[in-house]
Amino acid sequence: MKVVRRKTAKGLKGARSVSYQMVGPHSTGARKFLVTVVHVQRGGVTPVHEHATCDSMYYIIEGRGEVSDGKEKKVLGADTAVYFPPGTGHGIRNVGRTRLVYLSCHAPPYEIEELYREWAREAPTLLSTGG
C-alpha cells in the first residue's frame, strides 16, 4: 500500500492552476493509470490537448468548469464526470466564482511532465513547470 497526501504530492504549475500527481508511475509506481488532482483559480485553464492512446476523464469535485473537446463546450459543476475516448481533445476552464477542483484520470498513464514542458515551450507566458 502506498499513501500519497496532496500536500506532499509533486505539483505541476499551469495557467492559474496546479496539477498534483497523486497516483501514477512516478508517485506510486502505478503502471496502468494516472490520477491527478487539479486546482484551478478563477479564469485558469487546462488547454485542450489529446492523448492518442489514453482513455481520459475529468471528475469535478468543486466549482464550475467549461469542459471542451475542441469542438463542443459544456459547463459542468460538482459531482459530474466527463469521459474522453483516446485521441479526443479535452480541456477545462474555470468559469465559476470560486476555485475549480477536479480529478484527471488517464489509462494508460502518459508523461504528464513532458506535456507541461511542451506547453511551457509553446506558450511561455501561459504555462510554467514547477514543483
Side-chain angles (χ1 to χ4, degrees), residues 8-123:
T8 61
K10 183 172 185 176
L12 297 172
K13 295 180 182 177
R16 298 182 52 95
S17 68
V18 180
S19 178
Y20 297 97
Q21 298 178 63
M22 301 302 293
V23 178
H26 301 294
S27 59
T28 62
R31 296 178 299 157
K32 305 241 179 194
F33 62 95
L34 171 68
V35 177
T36 63
V37 173
V38 186
H39 291 194
V40 185
Q41 299 305 313
R42 286 182 68 181
V45 62
T46 298
V48 175
H49 61 286
E50 64 182 61
H51 310 289
T53 60
C54 294
D55 287 283
S56 301
M57 66 83 65
Y58 295 153
Y59 177 81
I60 298 175
I61 297 169
E62 70 180 60
R64 293 176 56 80
E66 180 185 75
V67 178
S68 176
D69 62 5
K71 299 174 188 161
E72 180 181 6
K73 295 178 182 178
K74 292 187 181 203
V75 175
L76 305 175
D79 295 323
T80 305
V82 58
Y83 167 72
F84 307 95
T88 302
H90 55 281
I92 189 168
R93 175 181 304 279
N94 183 345
V95 294
R97 295 182 179 160
T98 61
R99 176 179 72 171
L100 169 67
V101 178
Y102 69 95
L103 288 178
S104 176
C105 305
H106 304 278
Y110 68 95
E111 286 297 326
I112 188 171
E113 292 185 34
E114 179 54 34
L115 177 65
Y116 274 74
R117 283 191 294 269
E118 181 180 314
W119 285 342
R121 285 190 302 270
E122 291 176 0

